[in-house]
Amino acid sequence: MLIVIIALISIIIVLLTRLFFINKAVESMTQQLDNYNSFKTRKKIDVTLVNKRIENLAEGINKHMEISKELQLKQNNSEEELKSMISSISHDLRTPLTSIQGYLQMLRKDNISEEKRKRYIEIADKRSKDLQELLNQFFMLSVVEDPKYKGKLETIDLKEVLVETLTSFYEEFTDKGIEPDIEICSEAINIVGDYIGSKRVLENLMINIARHSKGNVKITLVKYKEKAELRIIDKIQDKDEIDADNLFNKFYKADKARKVNSTGLGLSIVKELMGKMNGNVEADIVHNSLCITCRWELSY
């Protein structure tokens, strides 16, 4: 009987001791969590007691802390991106607006010649078109970034769309002394894509050529590894002037001087649209040339 009593007392002492340490561990976790929540420390929960359930609880809390930190970091980045976007939009809209207002004020003067009056009207009209294009770019980006935007995927003759787009830019290329070297394969190139999206991709790429190319540019359209591949190779004077890794980021500009009608959104829209069509676009600097490559799924 005495042995049983001693055994029971020993068990009770062990249980009480274990309960004591569990309570101490819980108190320590509670204190550490309070310190974390009050921003006194950013350290994760530390548990010294070897108890699987307590350890699992601490691990779960630490995972939650990590998730919260990641969400907070994403929120901070989003807020910074939003501030930068608002600043860029404000600047890009203000530039043509200020120019238009300036020329309108000069047009109100009575002592300007008819020749200057016509010139000012032409410039103001061009700036208004620049402003319209800026607004179109902002609107298009808001549309394609919407997760609900899918586009209408169908079979498209990419060669036909490319030829139409190149033809529409012929005059602009000619005015700027750009004579692209164009190579299009002879066989049919039918892709799975959205017609409007594909046309917008090609237009934005041509706009990019018209604005930034020095004239030495090559455009090729071929079938490559079960894909339709459009490649634009443009000579650049200094390979360090372009960051290929950030080329498709919103508001990225190789030319730091903020030119009229140059938001940096065009290539960002290209990337978004290509993704919506299950395609991809990438940029590389190869031998002092900027190479932009778009790939679509072929339709059979």
Side-chain angles (χ1 to χ4, degrees), residues 55-119:
E55 289 177 357
N56 289 340
L57 176 61
E59 184 179 350
I61 293 173
N62 286 336
K63 285 183 179 178
H64 179 73
M65 286 179 174
E66 194 65 34
I67 292 172
S68 297
K69 286 172 65 176
E70 290 177 0
L71 291 175
Q72 184 63 46
L73 181 60
K74 287 181 180 179
Q75 181 179 345
N76 292 340
N77 290 338
S78 296
E79 290 175 356
E80 289 300 318
E81 185 178 348
L82 179 61
K83 290 178 182 177
S84 176
M85 183 182 297
I86 292 173
S87 176
S88 295
I89 291 174
S90 298
H91 190 292
D92 290 328
L93 292 178
R94 187 168 59 248
T95 300
L97 277 174
T98 302
S99 178
I100 292 170
Q101 289 172 343
Y103 282 105
L104 288 176
Q105 287 179 358
M106 288 188 285
L107 283 169
R108 292 191 184 99
K109 296 180 179 179
D110 298 326
N111 58 345
I112 64 171
S113 65
E114 188 61 26
E115 182 180 351
K116 284 187 176 181
R117 188 183 299 277
K118 289 180 179 179
R119 176 60 178 160

Side-chain angles (χ1 to χ4, degrees), residues 33-42 72:
L33 191 57
D34 286 342
N35 291 337
Y36 183 89
N37 291 333
S38 60
F39 299 99
K40 293 180 181 179
T41 180
R42 293 286 88 188
Q72 184 63 46

Side-chain angles (χ1 to χ4, degrees), residues 58-278:
E59 184 179 350
I61 293 173
N62 286 336
K63 285 183 179 178
H64 179 73
M65 286 179 174
E66 194 65 34
I67 292 172
S68 297
K69 286 172 65 176
E70 290 177 0
L71 291 175
Q72 184 63 46
L73 181 60
K74 287 181 180 179
Q75 181 179 345
N76 292 340
N77 290 338
S78 296
E79 290 175 356
E80 289 300 318
E81 185 178 348
L82 179 61
K83 290 178 182 177
S84 176
M85 183 182 297
I86 292 173
S87 176
S88 295
I89 291 174
S90 298
H91 190 292
D92 290 328
L93 292 178
R94 187 168 59 248
T95 300
L97 277 174
T98 302
S99 178
I100 292 170
Q101 289 172 343
Y103 282 105
L104 288 176
Q105 287 179 358
M106 288 188 285
L107 283 169
R108 292 191 184 99
K109 296 180 179 179
D110 298 326
N111 58 345
I112 64 171
S113 65
E114 188 61 26
E115 182 180 351
K116 284 187 176 181
R117 188 183 299 277
K118 289 180 179 179
R119 176 60 178 160
Y120 293 161
I121 291 174
E122 288 176 359
I123 296 175
D125 181 63
K126 184 179 183 304
R127 294 293 183 266
S128 69
K129 291 177 180 177
D130 290 340
L131 181 58
Q132 183 180 24
E133 177 59 24
L134 288 174
L135 294 173
N136 288 339
Q137 293 276 38
F138 293 135
F139 173 74
M140 190 64 188
L141 183 65
S142 68
V143 170
V144 299
E145 284 191 329
D146 188 341
K148 295 179 181 179
Y149 176 82
K150 301 297 181 183
K152 182 182 178 182
L153 296 183
E154 57 186 344
T155 298
I156 299 170
D157 184 344
L158 187 59
K159 284 174 59 176
E160 181 180 338
V161 181
L162 177 59
V163 170
E164 288 177 357
T165 305
L166 287 169
T167 302
S168 68
F169 277 84
Y170 175 80
E171 185 176 347
E172 187 169 358
F173 285 169
T174 302
D175 289 343
K176 297 188 177 181
I178 300 173
E179 295 183 10
D181 179 10
I182 302 171
E183 291 184 9
I184 302 177
C185 72
S186 58
E187 58 182 317
I189 299 184
N190 294 322
I191 63 165
V192 177
D194 174 51
Y195 176 80
I196 295 176
S198 296
K199 190 169 180 59
R200 186 68 183 190
V201 164
L202 297 178
E203 287 175 346
N204 280 9
L205 292 172
M206 297 308 117
I207 289 172
N208 194 64
I209 292 173
R211 287 179 183 157
H212 305 294
S213 178
K214 305 302 181 183
N216 196 346
V217 59
K218 183 175 183 179
I219 302 172
T220 62
L221 178 62
V222 297
K223 286 182 179 179
Y224 182 71
K225 293 184 178 180
E226 304 301 316
K227 302 277 187 180
E229 182 178 280
L230 173 71
R231 179 166 294 184
I232 298 173
I233 303 175
D234 194 6
K235 290 285 185 181
I236 53 178
Q237 294 179 343
D238 182 4
K239 65 180 181 180
D240 294 327
E241 71 184 9
I242 296 177
D243 183 357
D245 294 332
N246 290 311
L247 195 63
F248 300 102
N249 290 350
K250 284 179 293 206
F251 299 107
Y252 169 80
K253 296 182 181 183
D255 181 5
K256 301 303 180 183
R258 305 180 65 82
K259 295 180 179 179
V260 174
N261 198 22
S262 180
T263 62
L265 291 178
L267 293 182
S268 178
I269 292 172
V270 167
K271 182 178 180 180
E272 290 289 339
L273 286 172
M274 290 301 297
K276 298 290 185 180
M277 293 184 286
N278 300 319

